[in-house]
């Protein structure tokens, strides 16, 4: 559908801008203070994990399969925790390290390993000259921040409905300064799409020029379905095994959005040779991980089916929020032809595309009207070249708050779209 504001004559467009401005002013007068910025679970969701806190008390056995959780040791994580995270990721437990509470932290550790120590005996990247990292965009801002922190040039790669544009990726990995790619293969942050089988196969078939190139396969939303029928992601390690490759992918996962964000358990998986290589650096940076949290998790979730049952309960809280976003955006913007957005079947985000040049203005207008959004451009490494993408995070507010926030969002998006059309004609 075409942008309806472009079809209005000058007088009608000017009147429409005034009318939409009055709508926004009326909403601003309500003095709202709402937050749709970060993908935090709601209190209601987090409360569903409280029973995990009863899994341990002062009388509990603090051993797991003969391993002591109450002292130093067991550097790769408790056996049951490795088995749980391995079945979540679809890899053998021997190829998994469970450590800490943050997968982002493990990603940082892996980048640091390549940078300071070198991947599998390669020259440390810090001594190699200019470094590049591929960043499918829109994507996750904290990924981009990690490689930016180490001085990599973040190179945007367009996202398609099937995943990163693999023609572009295949071309770029011919450059030996390209050392990796950030991927969220299931319910991608922020688009919510799941990589197609074809994308996974092409990713696994990459022949990068740099031997120390790795795919950072951040499977943060592996079990985060909104509906009983979830998206299916091809297991990249199975594809790699089929090709007889022993290295290419570091996979990450955590229970941050399963149990308690910031206090879950996190894991990294890689080929046997790669995980041995990573452990060399992990052994220097920590004596062992926090195993009490691991014990609490495995006592509450003895297997992946227990996790899935829990996720179905969380989905009941989350699903109405996503459906409200879809309904509100359709009602508020569907007829304007000014915007498109994704309708994910899992994960935590919706990706919104407004007219070129609109995103930073919409975000700022929402802020002044009482609604905090993720900063415009955050979904891009560097600046969003079209200034059109906004990440919507519907999980944290209550349904009532979300409804009010979406009303503001739609009103602001309409006004900015009409203003841009008027400005393009020199009307303002
Ligand atoms: N990866 C992605 C794609 C995420 O969206 C998030 C959280 N928003 C994280 C990683 C962070 O996970 P953790 O808490 O395990 O560090």
């Amino acid at each position: 559908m075409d942008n309806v504001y472009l079809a209005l004559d000058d007088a009608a467009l000017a009147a429409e801008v005034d009318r939409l401005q009055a709508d926004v002013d009326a909403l601003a007068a309500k003095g709202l203070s709402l937050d749709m910025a970060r993908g935090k679970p709601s209190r209601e969701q987090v409360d569903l994990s409280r029973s995990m806190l009863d899994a341990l008390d002062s009388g509990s056995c603090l051993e797991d399969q003969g391993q002591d959780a109450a002292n130093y040791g067991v550097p790769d994580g408790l056996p049951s925790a490795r088995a749980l995270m391995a079945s979540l990721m679809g890899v053998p437990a021997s190829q998994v390290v469970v450590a800490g509470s943050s997968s982002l932290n493990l990603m940082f550790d892996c980048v640091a390993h390549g940078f300071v120590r070198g991947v599998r005996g390669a020259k440390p990247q810090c001594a190699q000259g200019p470094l590049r990292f591929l960043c499918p965009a829109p994507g996750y801002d904290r990924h981009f921040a990690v490689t930016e922190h180490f001085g990599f040039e973040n190179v945007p790669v367009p996202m398609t409905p099937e995943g990163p544009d693999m023609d572009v990726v295949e071309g770029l990995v011919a450059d030996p300064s390209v050392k990796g790619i950030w991927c969220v293969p299931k319910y991608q942050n922020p688009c919510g799409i799941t990589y197609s089988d074809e994308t996974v196969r092409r990713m696994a078939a990459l022949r990068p020029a740099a031997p120390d190139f790795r795919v950072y396969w951040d499977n943060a939303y592996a079990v985060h379905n909104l509906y009983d029928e979830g998206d299916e992601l091809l297991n990249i390690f199975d594809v790699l095994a089929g090709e007889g490759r022993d290295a290419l992918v570091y996979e990450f996962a955590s229970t941050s959005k399963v149990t308690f964000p910031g206090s879950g358990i996190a894991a990294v998986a890689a080929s046997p040779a790669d995980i041995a290589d990573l452990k060399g650096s992990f052994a220097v940076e920590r004596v062992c991980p926090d195993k009490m949290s691991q014990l609490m998790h495995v006592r509450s979730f003895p297997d992946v089916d227990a996790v899935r049952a829990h996720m179905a309960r969380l989905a009941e809280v989350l699903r109405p929020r996503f459906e409200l976003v879809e309904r509100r955006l359709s009602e508020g913007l569907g007829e304007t032809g000014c915007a498109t957005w994704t309708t994910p079947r899992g994960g935590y985000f919706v990706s919104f595309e407004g007219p070129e040049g609109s995103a930073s203005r919409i975000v700022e207008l929402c802020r002044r009207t009482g609604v905090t959004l993720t900063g415009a451009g955050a979904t891009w490494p560097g600046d969003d070249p079209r200034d059109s993408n906004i990440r919507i995070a519907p999980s944290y507010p209550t349904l009532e708050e979300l409804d009010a926030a979406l009303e503001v969002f739609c009103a602001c998006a309409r006004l900015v779209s009409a203003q841009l059309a008027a400005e393009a004609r020199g009307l303002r």
Side-chain angles (χ1 to χ4, degrees), residues 38-40 101-107 140-143 183-184 186-189 218-221 253-257 260-267 348-349 391:
R38 292 227 75 94
K40 295 199 311 192
S101 60
S102 160
S103 58
L104 188 73
N105 203 160
L106 289 173
M107 292 174 229
Y140 179 39
D141 53 350
R142 293 187 193 270
H143 282 163
C183 294
V184 183
K186 193 160 180 187
Y187 303 131
Q188 192 253 10
N189 176 353
D218 178 6
N219 210 349
Y221 299 107
S254 80
T255 63
S256 280
K257 287 169 184 179
F260 298 112
S263 301
I265 60 176
Y348 264 68
F349 302 100
R391 184 179 81 164

Side-chain angles (χ1 to χ4, degrees), residues 271-356:
S271 72
D274 271 359
I275 205 79
D277 179 51
L278 288 171
K279 282 182 198 175
S281 282
F282 293 169
V284 177
E285 70 173 289
R286 60 178 82 91
V287 182
C288 71
D290 167 6
K291 300 185 293 295
M292 287 297 178
S293 178
Q294 294 182 15
L295 196 58
M296 213 187 299
H297 277 77
V298 295
R299 294 265 162 91
S300 275
F301 302 102
D303 54 33
V304 81
D305 287 339
V307 175
R308 289 190 197 285
H310 176 70
M311 294 312 288
R313 287 192 286 277
L314 296 189
E316 281 175 33
V317 180
L318 208 46
R319 195 168 49 238
R321 288 170 167 76
F322 275 80
E323 291 179 348
L324 184 61
V325 172
E326 171 58 30
R327 197 165 64 246
R328 271 290 188 186
L329 293 183
S330 296
E331 287 167 4
L333 295 165
E335 300 292 303
T336 67
C338 291
T340 57
W341 55 90
T342 55
T343 46
R345 297 182 54 79
Y348 264 68
F349 302 100
V350 170
S351 177
F352 175 90
E353 280 288 324
E356 184 157 2

Side-chain angles (χ1 to χ4, degrees), residues 106-165:
L106 289 173
M107 292 174 229
F108 186 102
D109 290 346
C110 292
V111 173
H113 169 71
F115 192 80
V116 175
R117 190 71 184 168
V119 175
R120 300 261 300 271
K123 192 173 181 182
Q125 289 164 359
C126 63
Q128 286 192 35
L131 301 167
R132 300 194 169 79
F133 218 91
L134 306 186
C135 299
Y140 179 39
D141 53 350
R142 293 187 193 270
H143 282 163
F144 307 155
V146 171
T147 33
E148 191 183 325
H149 180 75
F150 282 92
F152 286 74
E153 179 197 340
N154 282 333
V155 180
V157 170
M159 274 297 288
T160 79
E162 307 228 330
D165 185 329

Side-chain angles (χ1 to χ4, degrees), residues 5 17 20-21 24 365 410-420:
Y5 302 118
V17 169
L20 294 170
Q21 181 71 61
V24 170
L365 188 58
C410 290
C412 293
R414 279 194 302 264
L415 174 57
V416 170
S417 301
Q419 283 172 337
L420 285 169

Side-chain angles (χ1 to χ4, degrees), residues 27-304:
L27 289 166
K30 290 187 181 179
L32 300 169
S33 175
L34 303 164
D35 191 347
M36 277 204 299
R38 292 227 75 94
K40 295 199 311 192
S42 62
R43 168 54 67 85
E44 209 181 339
Q45 263 182 296
V46 169
D47 278 348
L48 288 169
S49 295
R50 276 177 176 267
S51 62
M52 190 178 81
L53 301 174
D54 300 330
L56 292 184
D57 62 26
S58 60
S60 298
C61 166
L62 300 180
E63 282 190 4
D64 175 66
Q65 299 185 31
Q67 302 288 342
D68 189 2
N71 214 321
Y72 279 143
V74 205
D76 303 337
L78 291 176
S80 300
R82 292 175 76 193
L84 180 69
M85 296 309 279
S87 54
L88 214 129
M89 292 191 277
V91 293
S94 58
Q95 289 171 228
V96 175
V97 169
V98 183
S101 60
S102 160
S103 58
L104 188 73
N105 203 160
L106 289 173
M107 292 174 229
F108 186 102
D109 290 346
C110 292
V111 173
H113 169 71
F115 192 80
V116 175
R117 190 71 184 168
V119 175
R120 300 261 300 271
K123 192 173 181 182
Q125 289 164 359
C126 63
Q128 286 192 35
L131 301 167
R132 300 194 169 79
F133 218 91
L134 306 186
C135 299
Y140 179 39
D141 53 350
R142 293 187 193 270
H143 282 163
F144 307 155
V146 171
T147 33
E148 191 183 325
H149 180 75
F150 282 92
F152 286 74
E153 179 197 340
N154 282 333
V155 180
V157 170
M159 274 297 288
T160 79
E162 307 228 330
D165 185 329
M166 290 308 294
D167 290 340
V168 174
V169 173
E170 285 161 0
L172 287 168
V173 301
D175 171 357
S177 73
V178 171
K179 300 301 183 189
I181 179 168
W182 291 114
C183 294
V184 183
K186 193 160 180 187
Y187 303 131
Q188 192 253 10
N189 176 353
C191 300
I193 61 110
T194 296
Y195 290 12
S196 67
D197 291 359
E198 163 82 5
T199 300
V200 177
R201 289 206 174 89
R202 287 176 72 176
M203 196 67 78
L206 285 179
R207 294 286 186 276
D212 52 351
F213 174 100
R214 290 295 179 275
V215 173
Y216 279 61
W217 200 248
D218 178 6
N219 210 349
Y221 299 107
V223 286
H224 301 59
N225 304 326
L226 289 173
Y227 299 91
D228 291 345
E229 284 279 290
D231 288 0
E232 290 292 335
L233 174 70
L234 201 58
N235 183 330
I236 195 163
F237 280 102
D238 290 349
V239 183
L240 286 169
E243 299 210 347
R245 314 261 319 259
D246 86 324
L248 185 64
V249 174
Y250 295 157
E251 179 168 359
F252 305 88
S254 80
T255 63
S256 280
K257 287 169 184 179
V258 175
T259 58
F260 298 112
S263 301
I265 60 176
V268 52
S271 72
D274 271 359
I275 205 79
D277 179 51
L278 288 171
K279 282 182 198 175
S281 282
F282 293 169
V284 177
E285 70 173 289
R286 60 178 82 91
V287 182
C288 71
D290 167 6
K291 300 185 293 295
M292 287 297 178
S293 178
Q294 294 182 15
L295 196 58
M296 213 187 299
H297 277 77
V298 295
R299 294 265 162 91
S300 275
F301 302 102
D303 54 33
V304 81

